[in-house]
Amino acid sequence: MSRKAIHYVTATTAAAAGSLTTAATSMAAAALAASVVLSPAAGTIARLDGVHADLARAVQLNQVTSEQAARFEARLAGRILGDS
């Protein structure tokens, strides 16, 4: 994620938390929101695991070849991870 996006997330979260009574509470809320936004790894891994499982089943059912499944999985992984 770019620095501009990180700044936006922390700034808007801190502004939203501005109605809270203490600075420590607003900083904690900003840190929590930023950590949720900046750590999508678990969702990404689960998504890729699901793609892999679906393609493995398609190979077992002779719907696609293992080579086709591998190429398709690599292409989807690139899109999901933002490589292409």
Side-chain angles (χ1 to χ4, degrees):
M1 183 174 278
S2 71
R3 286 185 181 181
K4 188 174 183 179
I6 293 169
H7 175 72
Y8 174 78
V9 169
T10 54
T12 56
T13 305
S19 63
L20 299 175
T21 57
T22 65
T25 305
S26 65
M27 290 302 286
L32 176 63
S35 70
V36 169
V37 170
L38 300 176
S39 60
T44 302
I45 298 301
R47 194 170 172 191
L48 290 173
D49 287 344
V51 167
H52 181 76
D54 290 344
L55 288 171
R57 178 140 173 84
V59 170
Q60 287 177 344
L61 296 173
N62 293 323
Q63 294 173 333
V64 295
T65 66
S66 58
E67 293 82 13
Q68 289 171 323
R71 284 193 308 266
F72 188 66
E73 184 175 359
R75 193 167 69 196
L76 282 180
R79 288 182 181 179
I80 291 170
L81 297 173
D83 294 338
S84 58

